Amino acid sequence: MNDVIGIALATYNGSKYIDVMLDSINSQSFQGFHIHVCDDGSKDNTIEIIKRSDVFKRGKLTIHEVDGGSGAMLNFRRTISYCGERYIALCDQDDFWR
């Protein structure tokens, strides 16, 4: 499979979970993915943690700068709209991928 899978990650105040979640995706045997992140106006350091992650440093994650305050549903819709890949997986900031 040569397709890249887009991963839509909508975040909001996820600093407690985000590093473990990103590490779990980065540890997958399948590496043909790109993560798209939209943050909904976090008041914590979610974005700073994402920028320090290995997956961000490897260029496999894009943070789409947007204004927050839209709510979870609209933030996911916005995040999905940035995914240009043929296949899209939804990811919540507190997920753990096996």
Coordinates of all heavy atoms in Angstrom, one line a residue:
M1 N 0.8 -1.2 0.0 CA 0.0 0.0 0.0 C 0.9 1.2 0.0 O 1.7 1.4 0.9 CB -0.9 0.0 1.2 CG -1.8 1.1 1.4 SD -2.8 0.9 2.8 CE -4.0 2.2 2.6
N2 N 0.8 2.1 -1.0 CA 1.6 3.3 -1.1 C 0.8 4.5 -0.7 O 1.4 5.6 -0.8 CB 2.1 3.4 -2.6 CG 3.1 2.3 -2.9 OD1 3.8 1.9 -2.1 ND2 3.1 1.9 -4.2
D3 N -0.4 4.4 -0.4 CA -1.2 5.5 0.0 C -0.8 6.0 1.4 O -0.4 5.3 2.2 CB -2.7 5.2 0.1 CG -3.3 5.0 -1.3 OD1 -3.1 5.8 -2.2 OD2 -4.0 4.0 -1.5
V4 N -0.9 7.4 1.5 CA -0.7 8.0 2.8 C -2.0 8.2 3.5 O -3.0 8.6 2.8 CB 0.1 9.3 2.6 CG1 0.1 10.1 4.0 CG2 1.4 9.2 2.0
I5 N -2.1 7.8 4.7 CA -3.3 8.0 5.5 C -3.2 9.3 6.2 O -2.3 9.6 7.0 CB -3.5 6.8 6.5 CG1 -3.7 5.5 5.7 CG2 -4.7 7.1 7.4 CD1 -3.7 4.3 6.5
G6 N -4.3 10.1 6.1 CA -4.4 11.4 6.8 C -5.0 11.1 8.2 O -6.0 10.3 8.2
I7 N -4.4 11.6 9.2 CA -5.0 11.5 10.5 C -5.5 12.8 11.0 O -4.7 13.8 11.1 CB -3.9 10.9 11.5 CG1 -3.5 9.5 11.0 CG2 -4.5 10.8 12.9 CD1 -2.3 8.9 11.8
A8 N -6.7 13.0 11.2 CA -7.3 14.2 11.7 C -7.4 14.2 13.2 O -8.1 13.4 13.8 CB -8.8 14.4 11.1
L9 N -6.6 15.1 13.8 CA -6.5 15.2 15.3 C -7.0 16.6 15.7 O -6.3 17.6 15.5 CB -5.0 15.0 15.7 CG -4.7 15.2 17.1 CD1 -5.5 14.4 18.1 CD2 -3.2 15.0 17.4
A10 N -8.1 16.6 16.4 CA -8.7 17.9 16.9 C -8.3 17.9 18.4 O -8.5 17.0 19.1 CB -10.2 17.9 16.7
T11 N -7.7 19.0 18.8 CA -7.2 19.1 20.2 C -7.8 20.3 20.9 O -8.2 21.3 20.3 CB -5.6 19.3 20.2 OG1 -5.3 20.5 19.6 CG2 -4.9 18.1 19.6
Y12 N -7.9 20.1 22.2 CA -8.3 21.2 23.2 C -7.8 20.8 24.6 O -8.3 19.8 25.1 CB -9.8 21.4 23.1 CG -10.2 22.5 24.1 CD1 -9.9 23.8 23.8 CD2 -10.8 22.2 25.3 CE1 -10.3 24.8 24.7 CE2 -11.2 23.2 26.2 CZ -10.9 24.5 25.9 OH -11.3 25.5 26.8
N13 N -6.9 21.6 25.1 CA -6.4 21.3 26.5 C -6.0 19.9 26.7 O -6.4 19.3 27.7 CB -7.4 21.8 27.5 CG -7.5 23.3 27.6 OD1 -6.7 24.0 27.2 ND2 -8.6 23.8 28.2
G14 N -5.2 19.3 25.8 CA -4.9 17.9 25.8 C -3.5 17.6 26.3 O -3.0 16.5 26.1
S15 N -2.9 18.6 27.0 CA -1.5 18.4 27.4 C -1.3 17.1 28.3 O -0.2 16.6 28.3 CB -1.0 19.6 28.1 OG -1.7 19.8 29.4
K16 N -2.3 16.7 29.0 CA -2.1 15.5 29.9 C -1.9 14.3 29.1 O -1.3 13.3 29.6 CB -3.4 15.4 30.8 CG -3.4 14.3 31.7 CD -4.6 14.4 32.6 CE -4.6 13.2 33.6 NZ -5.8 13.2 34.5
Y17 N -2.5 14.2 27.8 CA -2.5 13.0 27.1 C -1.7 13.0 25.8 O -1.4 12.0 25.2 CB -3.9 12.6 26.7 CG -4.9 12.7 27.8 CD1 -5.8 13.8 28.0 CD2 -5.0 11.7 28.8 CE1 -6.7 13.8 29.0 CE2 -5.9 11.7 29.8 CZ -6.7 12.8 29.9 OH -7.6 12.9 31.0
I18 N -1.5 14.2 25.2 CA -1.1 14.3 23.8 C 0.3 13.6 23.5 O 0.4 13.0 22.4 CB -1.1 15.8 23.4 CG1 -1.1 15.9 21.8 CG2 0.1 16.6 24.0 CD1 -2.4 15.6 21.2
D19 N 1.2 13.7 24.4 CA 2.5 13.1 24.1 C 2.4 11.6 24.0 O 3.0 11.0 23.1 CB 3.6 13.5 25.1 CG 3.2 13.2 26.6 OD1 2.1 13.0 26.9 OD2 4.2 13.3 27.4
V20 N 1.7 10.9 24.9 CA 1.5 9.5 24.8 C 0.8 9.1 23.6 O 1.1 8.1 22.9 CB 0.8 9.0 26.1 CG1 0.4 7.5 26.0 CG2 1.6 9.2 27.3
M21 N -0.3 9.8 23.2 CA -1.0 9.5 22.0 C -0.1 9.7 20.8 O -0.1 8.8 19.9 CB -2.2 10.5 21.9 CG -3.2 10.1 20.8 SD -2.8 10.6 19.2 CE -2.6 12.3 19.4
L22 N 0.6 10.7 20.6 CA 1.5 10.9 19.5 C 2.6 9.8 19.4 O 2.9 9.3 18.3 CB 2.1 12.3 19.5 CG 1.2 13.4 19.2 CD1 1.9 14.8 19.4 CD2 0.5 13.3 17.8
D23 N 3.1 9.5 20.6 CA 4.1 8.4 20.6 C 3.5 7.1 20.1 O 4.2 6.3 19.4 CB 4.7 8.2 22.0 CG 5.7 9.3 22.4 OD1 6.1 10.0 21.5 OD2 6.0 9.4 23.6
S24 N 2.3 6.8 20.5 CA 1.6 5.6 20.1 C 1.4 5.5 18.6 O 1.6 4.4 17.9 CB 0.3 5.4 20.8 OG -0.7 6.2 20.3
I25 N 1.1 6.6 17.9 CA 1.0 6.7 16.5 C 2.4 6.5 15.8 O 2.6 5.8 14.9 CB 0.3 8.0 16.0 CG1 -1.1 8.0 16.4 CG2 0.4 8.1 14.5 CD1 -1.9 9.2 16.1
N26 N 3.4 7.2 16.4 CA 4.7 7.2 15.8 C 5.3 5.8 15.9 O 6.2 5.4 15.2 CB 5.6 8.2 16.6 CG 6.8 8.6 15.8 OD1 6.8 8.6 14.6 ND2 7.9 8.8 16.6
S27 N 4.9 5.0 16.9 CA 5.4 3.6 17.1 C 4.8 2.6 16.2 O 5.1 1.4 16.2 CB 5.2 3.2 18.5 OG 5.9 4.1 19.4
Q28 N 3.8 2.9 15.3 CA 3.1 2.0 14.5 C 4.1 1.4 13.4 O 5.0 2.1 13.0 CB 2.0 2.6 13.7 CG 0.9 3.2 14.7 CD 0.3 2.1 15.5 OE1 -0.2 1.1 15.0 NE2 0.3 2.3 16.8
S29 N 3.9 0.2 13.0 CA 4.8 -0.4 12.0 C 4.5 0.2 10.6 O 5.4 0.4 9.8 CB 4.5 -1.9 11.9 OG 3.2 -2.2 11.6
F30 N 3.2 0.7 10.4 CA 2.9 1.4 9.2 C 3.2 2.8 9.4 O 2.7 3.5 10.3 CB 1.4 1.2 8.8 CG 1.0 1.9 7.6 CD1 1.3 1.4 6.3 CD2 0.3 3.1 7.6 CE1 1.0 2.1 5.2 CE2 0.0 3.8 6.5 CZ 0.3 3.2 5.3
Q31 N 4.1 3.4 8.6 CA 4.5 4.8 8.7 C 4.0 5.7 7.6 O 4.5 6.8 7.6 CB 6.1 4.8 8.8 CG 6.6 4.2 10.1 CD 6.3 5.1 11.3 OE1 6.6 6.3 11.3 NE2 5.6 4.5 12.3
G32 N 3.1 5.2 6.8 CA 2.6 6.0 5.7 C 1.4 6.9 6.2 O 0.3 6.7 5.7
F33 N 1.7 7.8 7.0 CA 0.6 8.7 7.6 C 1.1 10.1 7.7 O 2.3 10.4 7.7 CB 0.2 8.2 9.0 CG 1.3 8.3 10.0 CD1 1.5 9.5 10.7 CD2 2.0 7.2 10.3 CE1 2.5 9.6 11.7 CE2 3.0 7.2 11.3 CZ 3.3 8.4 12.0
H34 N 0.2 11.0 7.8 CA 0.5 12.4 8.1 C -0.7 12.9 9.0 O -1.8 12.7 8.7 CB 0.5 13.3 6.8 CG 1.1 14.6 7.1 ND1 2.4 14.9 7.2 CD2 0.4 15.8 7.5 CE1 2.6 16.2 7.5 NE2 1.4 16.7 7.7
I35 N -0.3 13.5 10.1 CA -1.2 14.0 11.1 C -1.5 15.4 10.8 O -0.6 16.2 10.7 CB -0.7 13.8 12.5 CG1 -0.4 12.3 12.8 CG2 -1.7 14.3 13.5 CD1 0.4 12.1 14.1
H36 N -2.8 15.8 10.8 CA -3.3 17.2 10.7 C -3.9 17.6 12.0 O -4.8 16.9 12.5 CB -4.3 17.3 9.6 CG -3.7 16.9 8.2 ND1 -3.1 17.8 7.4 CD2 -3.7 15.7 7.6 CE1 -2.7 17.2 6.3 NE2 -3.0 16.0 6.4
V37 N -3.4 18.6 12.6 CA -3.9 19.1 13.9 C -4.5 20.4 13.8 O -4.0 21.4 13.2 CB -2.7 19.2 15.0 CG1 -3.2 19.8 16.3 CG2 -2.1 17.8 15.2
C38 N -5.7 20.6 14.4 CA -6.3 21.9 14.6 C -6.6 21.9 16.1 O -7.2 21.0 16.7 CB -7.7 22.0 13.8 SG -7.4 22.3 12.1
D39 N -6.2 23.0 16.7 CA -6.4 23.2 18.2 C -7.6 24.2 18.3 O -7.7 25.2 17.6 CB -5.2 23.7 18.8 CG -5.3 23.8 20.3 OD1 -5.3 22.7 21.0 OD2 -5.5 24.9 20.9
D40 N -8.4 23.9 19.3 CA -9.6 24.7 19.5 C -9.4 25.8 20.6 O -10.3 26.0 21.4 CB -10.8 23.8 19.8 CG -12.2 24.5 19.5 OD1 -12.2 25.4 18.6 OD2 -13.1 24.2 20.2
G41 N -8.3 26.4 20.7 CA -8.0 27.4 21.6 C -7.6 27.0 23.0 O -8.0 27.5 24.0
S42 N -6.7 25.9 23.0 CA -6.2 25.4 24.3 C -5.6 26.5 25.2 O -4.9 27.4 24.7 CB -5.1 24.3 24.1 OG -5.7 23.2 23.5
K43 N -5.9 26.4 26.5 CA -5.3 27.3 27.4 C -4.1 26.7 28.1 O -3.4 27.3 28.9 CB -6.3 27.7 28.5 CG -7.6 28.2 28.0 CD -7.4 29.6 27.4 CE -8.8 30.2 27.0 NZ -9.0 30.4 25.6
D44 N -3.7 25.5 27.8 CA -2.6 24.8 28.3 C -1.5 24.7 27.3 O -1.5 25.5 26.3 CB -2.9 23.4 28.9 CG -3.4 22.4 27.8 OD1 -3.3 22.8 26.6 OD2 -3.8 21.3 28.1
N45 N -0.5 23.9 27.5 CA 0.6 23.8 26.5 C 0.6 22.7 25.5 O 1.6 22.2 25.1 CB 2.0 23.8 27.3 CG 2.1 22.5 28.2 OD1 1.1 21.9 28.5 ND2 3.3 22.2 28.6
T46 N -0.6 22.4 25.1 CA -0.9 21.3 24.1 C 0.0 21.5 22.9 O 0.7 20.6 22.4 CB -2.3 21.2 23.7 OG1 -3.1 20.9 24.9 CG2 -2.6 20.2 22.6
I47 N 0.0 22.7 22.3 CA 0.7 22.9 21.0 C 2.2 22.9 21.2 O 2.9 22.3 20.4 CB 0.3 24.3 20.4 CG1 -1.2 24.2 20.0 CG2 1.1 24.6 19.2 CD1 -1.5 23.2 18.9
E48 N 2.7 23.3 22.3 CA 4.1 23.3 22.6 C 4.6 21.8 22.7 O 5.7 21.5 22.3 CB 4.5 24.0 23.9 CG 4.4 25.5 23.7 CD 2.9 26.1 23.8 OE1 2.0 25.3 24.3 OE2 2.7 27.2 23.4
I49 N 3.8 21.0 23.4 CA 4.1 19.6 23.5 C 4.1 18.9 22.1 O 5.0 18.1 21.8 CB 3.1 18.8 24.4 CG1 3.3 19.4 25.9 CG2 3.3 17.3 24.4 CD1 2.2 18.9 26.8
I50 N 3.2 19.2 21.3 CA 3.1 18.7 19.9 C 4.4 19.1 19.2 O 5.0 18.3 18.5 CB 1.8 19.2 19.2 CG1 0.6 18.5 19.8 CG2 1.9 18.8 17.7 CD1 -0.7 19.1 19.3
K51 N 4.8 20.3 19.3 CA 6.0 20.8 18.5 C 7.3 20.2 19.0 O 8.2 20.1 18.3 CB 6.1 22.3 18.7 CG 5.0 23.0 17.8 CD 5.1 24.5 18.0 CE 4.1 25.2 17.1 NZ 4.2 26.7 17.3
R52 N 7.3 19.6 20.2 CA 8.5 18.9 20.7 C 8.4 17.4 20.4 O 9.4 16.7 20.6 CB 8.5 19.1 22.2 CG 8.9 20.4 22.7 CD 9.2 20.5 24.2 NE 8.3 19.9 25.0 CZ 7.4 20.6 25.8 NH1 7.5 21.9 25.9 NH2 6.6 20.0 26.6
S53 N 7.4 16.9 19.8 CA 7.2 15.5 19.6 C 8.1 15.0 18.4 O 8.4 15.8 17.5 CB 5.8 15.1 19.3 OG 5.4 15.6 18.0
D54 N 8.5 13.8 18.4 CA 9.3 13.2 17.3 C 8.5 13.2 16.0 O 9.1 13.5 15.0 CB 9.7 11.7 17.7 CG 10.7 11.7 18.7 OD1 11.5 12.7 18.9 OD2 10.9 10.6 19.3
V55 N 7.2 12.9 16.1 CA 6.4 12.9 14.8 C 6.4 14.3 14.2 O 6.4 14.4 12.9 CB 5.0 12.3 15.1 CG1 4.1 13.2 15.9 CG2 4.4 11.9 13.8
F56 N 6.4 15.3 15.0 CA 6.4 16.7 14.4 C 7.8 17.0 13.8 O 7.9 17.5 12.7 CB 6.1 17.7 15.5 CG 6.1 19.2 15.0 CD1 5.1 19.7 14.2 CD2 7.1 20.0 15.3 CE1 5.1 21.0 13.8 CE2 7.2 21.3 14.9 CZ 6.1 21.8 14.1
K57 N 8.8 16.6 14.6 CA 10.2 16.9 14.1 C 10.5 16.1 12.9 O 11.4 16.5 12.0 CB 11.2 16.5 15.2 CG 11.1 17.4 16.4 CD 12.0 16.9 17.5 CE 11.9 17.8 18.8 NZ 12.7 17.2 19.9
R58 N 9.9 14.9 12.6 CA 10.1 14.1 11.4 C 9.3 14.7 10.2 O 9.4 14.1 9.1 CB 9.7 12.7 11.7 CG 10.6 12.0 12.6 CD 10.2 10.5 13.0 NE 9.9 9.8 11.8 CZ 8.8 8.9 11.7 NH1 8.1 8.7 12.8 NH2 8.6 8.2 10.6
G59 N 8.5 15.7 10.4 CA 7.7 16.3 9.3 C 6.5 15.5 9.0 O 5.9 15.7 7.9
K60 N 6.0 14.7 9.9 CA 4.8 13.9 9.7 C 3.6 14.4 10.4 O 2.6 13.8 10.5 CB 5.1 12.4 10.1 CG 6.2 11.8 9.4 CD 6.4 10.4 9.7 CE 5.4 9.4 9.2 NZ 5.3 9.3 7.8
L61 N 3.6 15.7 10.8 CA 2.5 16.4 11.4 C 2.5 17.8 11.1 O 3.6 18.5 11.1 CB 2.7 16.2 13.0 CG 1.6 16.7 13.9 CD1 1.5 15.9 15.1 CD2 1.8 18.2 14.2
T62 N 1.3 18.3 10.7 CA 1.2 19.7 10.4 C 0.2 20.3 11.4 O -0.9 19.8 11.6 CB 0.6 19.9 9.0 OG1 1.6 19.3 8.1 CG2 0.5 21.4 8.6
I63 N 0.5 21.4 12.0 CA -0.4 22.2 12.8 C -1.0 23.3 12.0 O -0.3 24.1 11.4 CB 0.3 22.8 14.0 CG1 1.0 21.7 14.9 CG2 -0.7 23.6 14.9 CD1 1.9 22.2 15.9
H64 N -2.3 23.2 11.8 CA -3.0 24.2 11.0 C -3.5 25.3 12.0 O -4.3 25.0 12.9 CB -4.2 23.6 10.3 CG -3.8 22.5 9.3 ND1 -3.3 22.8 8.1 CD2 -3.7 21.2 9.5 CE1 -3.0 21.6 7.5 NE2 -3.2 20.6 8.3
E65 N -2.9 26.5 11.9 CA -3.2 27.6 12.8 C -4.6 28.1 12.5 O -4.9 28.5 11.4 CB -2.2 28.7 12.6 CG -0.8 28.3 12.9 CD -0.5 27.9 14.3 OE1 -1.2 28.3 15.2 OE2 0.5 27.1 14.5
V66 N -5.4 28.0 13.5 CA -6.8 28.5 13.4 C -7.2 29.1 14.8 O -6.6 28.8 15.8 CB -7.8 27.3 13.1 CG1 -7.6 26.8 11.7 CG2 -7.7 26.2 14.1
D67 N -8.2 29.9 14.8 CA -8.7 30.4 16.0 C -9.6 29.4 16.7 O -10.2 28.6 16.0 CB -9.6 31.7 15.7 CG -8.8 32.8 15.2 OD1 -7.6 32.9 15.6 OD2 -9.3 33.6 14.4
G68 N -9.6 29.4 18.0 CA -10.3 28.4 18.7 C -11.7 28.8 19.1 O -12.2 29.8 18.6
G69 N -12.3 28.0 19.9 CA -13.7 28.3 20.4 C -14.8 27.8 19.6 O -15.9 28.3 19.7
S70 N -14.6 26.8 18.7 CA -15.6 26.3 17.8 C -16.4 25.2 18.4 O -17.5 24.9 17.9 CB -15.0 25.9 16.5 OG -14.4 27.0 15.9
G71 N -15.8 24.5 19.3 CA -16.4 23.2 19.9 C -15.8 22.0 19.1 O -15.3 22.1 18.0
A72 N -16.0 20.9 19.7 CA -15.4 19.6 19.2 C -15.9 19.3 17.8 O -15.1 19.0 17.0 CB -15.7 18.5 20.2
M73 N -17.2 19.3 17.5 CA -17.7 18.9 16.2 C -17.1 19.8 15.1 O -16.6 19.3 14.1 CB -19.2 19.0 16.2 CG -19.8 18.6 14.9 SD -19.4 16.9 14.3 CE -20.6 16.0 15.3
L74 N -17.2 21.1 15.3 CA -16.7 22.0 14.2 C -15.2 21.9 14.1 O -14.6 22.0 13.0 CB -17.1 23.4 14.5 CG -18.6 23.7 14.3 CD1 -18.9 25.2 14.6 CD2 -19.0 23.4 12.8
N75 N -14.5 21.7 15.2 CA -13.0 21.5 15.1 C -12.6 20.3 14.4 O -11.7 20.3 13.6 CB -12.4 21.6 16.5 CG -10.9 21.8 16.5 OD1 -10.4 22.5 15.6 ND2 -10.2 21.2 17.4
F76 N -13.4 19.2 14.6 CA -13.1 18.0 13.8 C -13.4 18.2 12.3 O -12.6 17.8 11.5 CB -13.9 16.8 14.3 CG -13.0 15.9 15.2 CD1 -13.3 15.7 16.5 CD2 -12.0 15.1 14.6 CE1 -12.5 14.9 17.3 CE2 -11.2 14.3 15.4 CZ -11.5 14.2 16.8
R77 N -14.5 18.8 12.0 CA -14.8 19.1 10.6 C -13.7 19.9 10.0 O -13.3 19.7 8.8 CB -16.2 19.9 10.5 CG -17.3 19.0 10.7 CD -18.6 19.8 10.5 NE -19.8 19.0 10.7 CZ -21.0 19.5 10.7 NH1 -21.2 20.8 10.5 NH2 -22.0 18.7 11.0
R78 N -13.3 20.9 10.7 CA -12.2 21.8 10.2 C -10.9 21.0 9.9 O -10.3 21.1 8.9 CB -11.9 22.9 11.1 CG -10.8 23.9 10.7 CD -10.7 25.1 11.6 NE -10.8 24.7 13.0 CZ -11.3 25.5 14.0 NH1 -11.9 26.6 13.6 NH2 -11.4 25.1 15.2
T79 N -10.6 20.1 10.9 CA -9.4 19.3 10.8 C -9.5 18.4 9.6 O -8.5 18.2 8.8 CB -9.2 18.5 12.1 OG1 -9.2 19.4 13.2 CG2 -7.8 17.8 12.1
I80 N -10.6 17.7 9.4 CA -10.8 16.8 8.3 C -10.7 17.6 7.0 O -10.1 17.0 6.0 CB -12.2 16.1 8.4 CG1 -12.2 15.2 9.6 CG2 -12.6 15.4 7.1 CD1 -13.6 14.7 9.9
S81 N -11.1 18.8 6.9 CA -11.0 19.6 5.7 C -9.6 19.8 5.2 O -9.3 20.1 4.1 CB -11.7 20.9 5.8 OG -11.0 21.9 6.6
Y82 N -8.6 19.7 6.2 CA -7.2 19.9 5.8 C -6.6 18.6 5.3 O -5.5 18.6 4.7 CB -6.4 20.4 7.0 CG -6.6 21.9 7.3 CD1 -7.3 22.3 8.4 CD2 -6.1 22.8 6.5 CE1 -7.5 23.6 8.7 CE2 -6.3 24.2 6.7 CZ -7.0 24.5 7.9 OH -7.2 25.9 8.1
C83 N -7.3 17.5 5.5 CA -6.7 16.2 5.0 C -7.0 16.0 3.6 O -8.1 15.9 3.1 CB -7.4 15.0 5.8 SG -7.0 15.0 7.6
G84 N -5.9 16.0 2.8 CA -6.0 15.8 1.3 C -5.7 14.4 0.9 O -5.7 14.1 -0.3
E85 N -5.5 13.5 1.9 CA -5.1 12.1 1.6 C -6.4 11.4 1.2 O -7.5 11.8 1.6 CB -4.5 11.5 2.9 CG -3.2 12.1 3.3 CD -3.3 13.4 4.1 OE1 -4.4 13.8 4.5 OE2 -2.2 14.0 4.3
R86 N -6.2 10.3 0.6 CA -7.3 9.4 0.1 C -8.0 8.8 1.2 O -9.2 8.6 1.2 CB -6.7 8.3 -0.8 CG -7.7 7.5 -1.5 CD -7.1 6.5 -2.5 NE -8.1 5.7 -3.0 CZ -7.9 4.7 -3.8 NH1 -6.7 4.5 -4.2 NH2 -8.9 3.9 -4.3
Y87 N -7.3 8.4 2.3 CA -7.9 7.8 3.4 C -7.7 8.7 4.7 O -6.6 9.3 4.8 CB -7.3 6.4 3.7 CG -7.5 5.5 2.6 CD1 -6.4 5.2 1.7 CD2 -8.7 4.8 2.3 CE1 -6.5 4.3 0.7 CE2 -8.8 4.0 1.3 CZ -7.8 3.7 0.4 OH -7.9 2.9 -0.6
I88 N -8.7 8.8 5.5 CA -8.6 9.6 6.7 C -9.0 8.8 7.9 O -10.1 8.2 7.9 CB -9.5 10.9 6.6 CG1 -9.2 11.7 5.3 CG2 -9.5 11.7 7.8 CD1 -10.1 12.8 5.0
A89 N -8.2 8.9 9.0 CA -8.6 8.3 10.3 C -8.8 9.5 11.3 O -8.0 10.4 11.3 CB -7.4 7.4 10.7
L90 N -9.8 9.3 12.1 CA -10.0 10.3 13.1 C -9.3 9.9 14.4 O -9.2 8.7 14.7 CB -11.5 10.5 13.4 CG -12.4 10.8 12.2 CD1 -13.8 11.0 12.7 CD2 -11.9 12.1 11.6
C91 N -8.8 10.9 15.1 CA -8.0 10.6 16.3 C -8.3 11.6 17.4 O -8.3 12.8 17.1 CB -6.5 10.6 16.0 SG -5.5 10.2 17.4
D92 N -8.6 11.2 18.5 CA -8.9 12.0 19.7 C -7.6 12.2 20.5 O -6.8 11.3 20.5 CB -10.0 11.4 20.6 CG -10.9 12.5 21.2 OD1 -10.6 13.7 20.9 OD2 -11.8 12.1 21.9
Q93 N -7.4 13.3 21.1 CA -6.2 13.6 21.8 C -5.8 12.6 22.9 O -4.7 12.5 23.3 CB -6.2 15.0 22.3 CG -7.2 15.3 23.4 CD -7.4 16.7 23.7 OE1 -6.9 17.6 23.0 NE2 -8.1 17.0 24.8
D94 N -6.8 11.9 23.4 CA -6.5 10.9 24.5 C -6.6 9.5 24.1 O -6.6 8.6 24.9 CB -7.4 11.2 25.7 CG -8.9 10.9 25.4 OD1 -9.2 10.8 24.2 OD2 -9.7 10.9 26.3
D95 N -6.5 9.3 22.7 CA -6.5 7.9 22.2 C -5.1 7.3 22.4 O -4.1 8.0 22.7 CB -6.8 7.9 20.7 CG -8.2 8.2 20.3 OD1 -9.0 8.2 21.2 OD2 -8.5 8.3 19.1
F96 N -5.1 6.0 22.3 CA -3.8 5.2 22.3 C -3.9 4.2 21.2 O -4.8 3.4 21.2 CB -3.6 4.6 23.7 CG -2.2 3.9 23.7 CD1 -1.1 4.6 24.1 CD2 -2.1 2.5 23.4 CE1 0.1 4.0 24.2 CE2 -0.9 1.9 23.5 CZ 0.3 2.6 23.9
W97 N -3.0 4.2 20.2 CA -3.1 3.3 19.1 C -2.2 2.1 19.3 O -1.0 2.3 19.7 CB -2.7 4.0 17.8 CG -3.7 5.0 17.3 CD1 -4.6 5.7 18.1 CD2 -3.9 5.5 16.0 NE1 -5.3 6.6 17.3 CE2 -4.9 6.4 16.1 CE3 -3.3 5.2 14.8 CZ2 -5.4 7.1 14.9 CZ3 -3.7 5.8 13.7 CH2 -4.8 6.8 13.7
R98 N -2.7 0.9 19.1 CA -1.9 -0.3 19.2 C -1.6 -0.8 17.9 O -2.2 -0.7 16.9 CB -2.7 -1.4 20.0 CG -3.0 -1.0 21.4 CD -3.7 -2.1 22.1 NE -4.1 -1.6 23.4 CZ -3.4 -1.9 24.5 NH1 -2.3 -2.6 24.5 NH2 -3.8 -1.4 25.7

